[in-house]
Amino acid sequence: MKKLIFSLALMAASPWSFAACDQTVNPGTNLASAVSSAPNGSTICLNSGDYGTVNFTNISRTGLVTLQSTAAKGASMSPKVSNSDFIRLQGMTLRDMQISNCSTNIQVAGNAWAQNTSGIVVMDYGYNCSTADKQIVIDGNTFVNTRPAWGEGKIGLVSVNGVTLKNNLIQGQSSGNGGDGIQTGGSLANITIGPGNIFRDIRQGPCDSSAGVPHCDAIQFVGNCPTCTINGNWFDNVEVVLQHHDANVPVVFTNNLVTNAVQMWAYSTPGSANNSRIEHNTFYNLGLAVWGTTGSGVSDTTGLVGRNNILIGSTARPSTCSAGSCTFTHNLCQAASQCGFTSSSAAVGTPIFAGGTPGSITTWAGWQLSGSSLGYKGGSDGRDVGTNYYGPDAVATTLAPPTSLRVN
């Protein structure tokens, strides 16, 4: 029941909507030609059926055209978008999608990925594209039990600038072909992960039986990204929240909710996590947190800030870089041992949440602090300690403990 509530809430809150049809087509239609000639702002509706592999290549547009299924997820395809602009794919069943070769203003919204097929890769590597943001948006889709699309990532981002992923459900593993939720590669910039994504059940077990035995993480950074942000996501029952592998990424990890996870890594050997920011997150039952050290606990990072976080349940004391190199302040821990790292202005006690005790909370909004809780408005910035994001369309309010909540 908990998983169903999460999924329905995510899909119900997605901001995309269906438009009136300007033309309606059937399987076998030359969709590339229809997209190329469609007026800006128009909608092409697809009757149910499998449209196969559709190549949208060298389509230069100045305004958006939307392709959407006439029946919920009834139209299916494998889209390949190359050197094309202003195309929106919406409300379909998709598989094996690629966006490449300097494409811009591509939107992928409200689709369901066919299980046991590859996810999506956005890649400009090898195409000599400009460094301008490509304005790619991946919003409100479901990736359940999908295979890797690039490297180990169900969602691959490779040498591309300007991609936003929000309100997506990324869940589970394909049998015998597991992988990361998101994996990056090459040099990237302006990658925004969140808000509203849910990463769930991305565990190592299925990956142990996959070819090559990939180490399966919710998010794995490989390469360089000076402006990657992870903000407002829920990581639930995942093996590794974040793997910072051979990456030069100053991690910005803010307003996230982590429940029942095994590990989280932000470190600099190899690569660099210098000047990372881990702030306003709620961690419940996180087994291992490495914030600025090697796996053996040696400080290897400078400028990292860990601030205004909640660490509760069985969450372990983080392994942190030295106090002279990094800053930790205004964190709230349920047990003093969880705040055993050098953290100034730390609070120790049990917070009170709108949804009740942590083990019984079934909604994102339930993790909002009660108005009488320890940590309420107690952050260094005057905001609540812990996450200040409570799911799509949720509005923070002053609450009476522990059940009063207003959600728009």
Side-chain angles (χ1 to χ4, degrees):
M1 177 60 71
K2 181 186 293 188
K3 294 181 180 180
L4 176 62
I5 291 172
F6 291 162
S7 301
L8 291 177
L10 176 70
M11 295 301 103
S14 294
W16 53 269
S17 60
F18 287 97
C21 303
D22 294 298
Q23 60 175 304
T24 302
V25 301
N26 295 302
T29 298
N30 187 330
L31 290 179
S33 177
V35 166
S36 182
S37 60
N40 291 346
S42 62
T43 298
I44 301 171
C45 291
L46 281 62
N47 284 327
S48 295
D50 193 337
Y51 290 73
T53 298
V54 182
N55 295 301
F56 300 101
T57 304
N58 298 328
I59 300 175
S60 180
R61 299 183 52 85
T62 59
L64 201 65
V65 59
T66 297
L67 288 86
Q68 68 183 27
S69 180
T70 56
K73 314 299 189 295
S76 62
M77 69 171 67
S78 172
K80 314 293 185 185
V81 182
S82 175
N83 192 35
S84 295
D85 312 300
F86 290 100
I87 301 171
R88 179 179 176 90
L89 304 177
Q90 177 172 290
M92 293 185 277
T93 298
L94 301 181
R95 60 187 182 272
D96 309 329
M97 184 169 182
Q98 299 174 8
I99 303 172
S100 66
N101 194 7
C102 317
S103 295
T104 69
N105 294 282
I106 307 301
Q107 301 179 10
V108 185
N111 303 284
W113 248 255
Q115 294 195 34
N116 298 310
T117 67
S118 298
I120 180 172
V121 56
V122 185
M123 180 168 60
D124 280 348
Y125 178 78
Y127 293 105
N128 296 316
C129 301
S130 77
T131 58
D133 283 357
K134 301 307 185 292
Q135 304 295 330
I136 308 298
V137 177
I138 301 170
D139 179 12
N141 305 282
T142 59
F143 300 87
V144 178
N145 298 334
T146 52
R147 299 173 181 170
W150 179 86
E152 297 175 2
K154 305 169 191 297
I155 300 172
L157 305 174
V158 190
S159 297
V160 64
N161 296 346
V163 181
T164 298
L165 301 104
K166 59 183 180 177
N167 303 316
N168 300 289
L169 174 64
I170 306 165
Q171 177 176 327
Q173 299 285 15
S174 176
S175 178
N177 205 342
D180 300 328
I182 297 172
Q183 185 184 53
T184 69
S187 295
L188 308 100
N190 299 332
I191 304 299
T192 303
I193 302 172
N197 297 307
I198 295 176
F199 298 83
R200 182 184 302 119
D201 299 340
I202 301 175
R203 301 301 297 248
Q204 184 61 32
C207 295
D208 288 339
S209 60
S210 299
V213 191
H215 194 279
C216 293
D217 317 305
I219 299 173
Q220 180 176 186
F221 284 138
V222 181
N224 306 318
C225 187
T227 49
C228 279
T229 64
I230 304 170
N231 179 68
N233 304 279
W234 190 339
F235 300 86
D236 179 52
N237 191 39
V238 300
E239 192 81 19
V240 181
V241 174
L242 173 66
Q243 178 60 264
H244 193 275
H245 178 71
D246 291 339
N248 291 296
V249 180
V251 176
V252 178
F253 191 88
T254 55
N255 288 302
N256 298 292
L257 173 62
V258 177
T259 56
N260 302 307
V262 180
Q263 305 172 35
M264 174 185 174
W265 297 78
Y267 60 106
S268 298
T269 306
S272 172
N274 293 339
N275 303 313
S276 292
R277 183 160 60 94
I278 301 170
E279 182 169 19
H280 278 297
N281 305 286
T282 298
F283 298 98
Y284 171 64
N285 294 349
L286 172 62
L288 170 69
V290 175
W291 297 349
T293 73
T294 66
S296 57
V298 177
S299 179
D300 66 355
T301 300
T302 62
L304 186 149
V305 175
R307 181 169 54 200
N308 299 319
N309 300 290
I310 291 177
L311 296 84
I312 55 174
S314 61
T315 296
R317 170 191 176 276
S319 176
T320 59
C321 40
S322 62
S325 301
C326 302
T327 301
F328 299 94
T329 183
H330 287 80
N331 296 292
L332 190 165
C333 299
Q334 190 169 8
S337 60
Q338 293 167 320
C339 274
F341 56 99
T342 304
S343 179
S344 64
S345 301
V348 176
T350 301
I352 302 172
F353 297 100
T357 59
S360 67
I361 297 174
T362 59
T363 65
W364 211 324
W367 291 92
Q368 184 178 352
L369 288 180
S370 156
S372 63
S373 175
L374 183 67
Y376 175 77
K377 305 299 183 186
S380 62
D381 52 6
R383 301 164 62 199
D384 289 359
V385 177
T387 182
N388 279 239
Y389 179 80
Y390 311 110
D393 294 339
V395 176
T397 81
T398 300
L399 300 175
T403 59
S404 177
L405 179 66
R406 185 176 74 235
V407 178
N408 287 345

